[in-house]
Amino acid sequence: GQIMQAIGVPLGAEKYYLHALELSPGQAAPHFHLGMLYLQMGKAQPAYDHLVKAHKLDPQGDYGWQAGRLLERYFP
């Protein structure tokens, strides 16, 4: 998903992130990356939902911290 996102194929990236969530819904990383992708795509509500989920799943970790910062910046 990250590679697809980096090369500018957002729908391909979304497909891989959603598949990662199907395989591991309790992991913060795919929620974080999907939230970032949705921010880039201008989809505010799904971005918010996935960033909140990443923050809750990993409150003391890197993904949770980064998600928290993005929530503060884009959803004050």
Side-chain angles (χ1 to χ4, degrees), residues 6-27:
I7 63 171
V9 185
L11 296 179
E14 181 183 36
K15 175 184 162 187
Y16 282 105
Y17 293 145
L18 291 172
H19 184 66
L21 285 175
E22 287 177 19
L23 296 175
S24 271
Q27 293 292 317

Side-chain angles (χ1 to χ4, degrees), residues 31 46-58 67 71 75:
H31 284 288
Y48 175 82
D49 295 341
H50 285 284
L51 291 172
V52 166
K53 187 75 169 178
H55 186 65
K56 287 181 180 179
L57 288 170
D58 190 29
L71 287 166
F75 305 99

